[in-house]
Amino acid sequence: DYLKSLGMDGIWFSPIYPSPGADCGYDIADYMDIAPEFGGMEAFKKVLDGAHERGMKVIMDLVVNHTSTVHEWFYITAEYMRGLGEGEEPNVEDCEYFDYYNWSKESKPGYSKLGGTDYYYECQFSYGMPDLNLANENVRENIKKIMRYWLDMGVSGFRVDAAKEFYTGNVEKNVEVLNWLQTTLFSLKEDVYMVAEVWDDFGTLINYYKSGFTSMFNFPFGDSGGKIITTLRNIDNANMIPSYAKALESANTKFSESNSNYIDAPFLSNHDVGRIYGFAGRDENKMKMAAAMNLFMSGSAFVYYGEEIGMPGSGNDPSKRAPFYWNAA
């Protein structure tokens, strides 16, 4: 009811799946359940029904760059590899999940050693979050099953995490994965929405929109160094307003040229960056103006919970992701 009163017509849930919690839920142990600390599946279905009754839609976080080390795919693989005899090589015939991940016998940047073996696994974010091999057709089939499961329950789409890291440093392959995700989603259901996290500059976003993917978070305008906050910090400069207007026009033109069906996804802050409270120098007027500039951009504007009441939060992730202030205490 509170969100509806603000005029919101959708909710994006950051990961609420079962997880060891090493990275605030982004190390997922089970993609088809809701963690008990969030009330489990029964509570989620009540929230979903309540949202639909109010004309609101719900999208889930789709974290397919990596899993948790306790996810059964990795756990079974790790136990299998630790049980190999001397000189015995791992293979998919003996363990189907082996090829779900990326392995090396040599230490590489972004890889960690699997204890009890001579092998290293790719984990670009953390040793507790092994990267999936998205070239594997069985992995893709499982991702499709995950999407179908939540769509059948009534979810209206997904926010795709870490889209730049599917193949770290390889834009072409990342674009292919995004194209596959978008095509697969629409093959399951037509009236759905997807937005991807591509944390990069304007030119990179233009390249990623060539994937045909519906939406990308507009990082060049959000965050502490984005166009919105930069404009407000220098508002006394008469050139800032026309410069901001030209940037808006340019973004719309260039994104449209890459994907004529794109829907912009502007935002101010999110779970990975400090909050607008700090960006705006604790100035209430600047916070309000920033909120207006965000909402007046084209597309589907996102509001990080607490922005609307000026919540503070910066530094480490627990501070950025602190619980919502339900009362003055």
Side-chain angles (χ1 to χ4, degrees):
D1 290 330
Y2 167 68
L3 295 177
K4 182 68 176 178
S5 74
L6 295 176
M8 303 294 177
D9 58 8
I11 303 168
W12 152 36
F13 281 110
S14 52
I16 50 178
Y17 311 100
S19 160
D23 186 35
C24 298
Y26 280 91
D27 49 334
I28 296 172
D30 186 348
Y31 287 96
M32 296 187 180
D33 201 0
I34 301 296
E37 58 264 37
F38 297 120
M41 190 62 78
E42 183 179 352
F44 176 75
K45 288 181 178 178
K46 287 182 180 178
V47 171
L48 194 59
D49 289 342
H52 292 163
E53 289 169 6
R54 291 159 179 78
M56 303 170 74
K57 297 183 178 182
V58 171
I59 66 173
M60 301 289 280
D61 223 309
L62 189 65
V63 185
V64 294
N65 178 71
H66 52 263
T67 69
S68 166
T69 51
V70 301
H71 190 288
E72 67 170 352
W73 300 340
F74 190 84
Y75 181 81
I76 290 173
T77 303
E79 291 301 296
Y80 157 72
M81 294 181 69
R82 291 185 180 114
L84 291 173
E86 186 174 350
E88 190 177 358
E89 297 290 334
N91 61 78
V92 294
E93 285 73 25
D94 293 331
C95 179
E96 64 172 310
Y97 301 133
F98 169 71
D99 201 33
Y100 277 35
Y101 299 92
N102 303 308
W103 300 93
S104 172
K105 277 195 170 182
E106 299 177 359
S107 177
K108 298 179 180 180
Y111 277 66
S112 286
K113 190 171 186 179
L114 177 65
T117 76
D118 294 327
Y119 283 85
Y120 297 82
Y121 59 92
E122 186 179 13
C123 51
Q124 294 293 333
F125 287 101
S126 161
Y127 69 89
M129 297 188 287
D131 283 28
L132 284 166
N133 173 15
L134 292 170
N136 184 298
E137 289 302 320
N138 290 325
V139 169
R140 294 197 178 198
E141 188 58 35
N142 274 287
I143 293 171
K144 184 177 180 179
K145 288 178 182 178
I146 292 164
M147 291 195 290
R148 182 188 292 117
Y149 177 80
W150 293 108
L151 291 174
D152 288 347
M153 195 176 294
V155 165
S156 297
F158 303 94
R159 174 264 185 185
V160 178
D161 180 61
K164 269 183 62 185
E165 308 308 323
F166 295 149
Y167 292 90
T168 300
N170 192 320
V171 174
E172 184 177 351
K173 286 187 176 182
N174 292 335
V175 164
E176 186 278 323
V177 175
L178 284 176
N179 177 264
W180 175 80
L181 283 169
Q182 182 80 63
T183 303
T184 300
L185 182 71
F186 284 161
S187 74
L188 296 172
K189 190 176 182 181
E190 291 185 0
D191 185 20
V192 285
Y193 175 72
M194 247 188 181
V195 56
E197 177 197 27
V198 178
W199 194 339
D200 215 313
D201 59 23
F202 184 64
T204 301
L205 282 181
I206 292 172
N207 285 332
Y208 274 84
Y209 265 123
K210 293 176 183 177
S211 66
F213 206 82
T214 303
S215 290
M216 315 273 179
F217 284 114
N218 196 330
F219 279 90
F221 277 78
D223 201 354
S224 61
K227 271 289 182 181
I228 290 176
I229 293 301
T230 301
T231 299
L232 290 177
R233 283 176 180 158
N234 299 280
I235 200 66
D236 292 334
N237 184 336
N239 294 321
M240 291 307 295
I241 299 304
S243 174
Y244 179 77
K246 289 178 181 178
L248 275 177
E249 182 181 20
S250 177
N252 182 59
T253 300
K254 296 297 183 182
F255 291 160
S256 295
E257 289 173 352
S258 289
N259 178 4
S260 60
N261 296 315
Y262 98 99
I263 301 172
D264 200 5
F267 73 100
L268 293 177
S269 62
N270 63 28
H271 58 288
D272 285 322
V273 303
R275 288 179 172 273
I276 185 63
Y277 176 85
F279 296 170
R282 306 183 183 186
D283 185 319
E284 184 175 333
N285 289 327
K286 285 185 178 179
M287 282 190 268
K288 289 179 177 179
M289 181 60 75
M293 292 167 76
N294 179 42
L295 295 175
F296 287 155
M297 288 179 68
S298 67
S300 299
F302 283 75
V303 176
Y304 187 44
Y305 74 90
E307 271 181 9
E308 76 281 9
I309 59 172
M311 268 182 65
S314 61
N316 60 18
D317 284 346
S319 177
K320 298 168 187 170
R321 305 171 189 183
F324 182 75
Y325 292 173
W326 289 107
N327 53 52

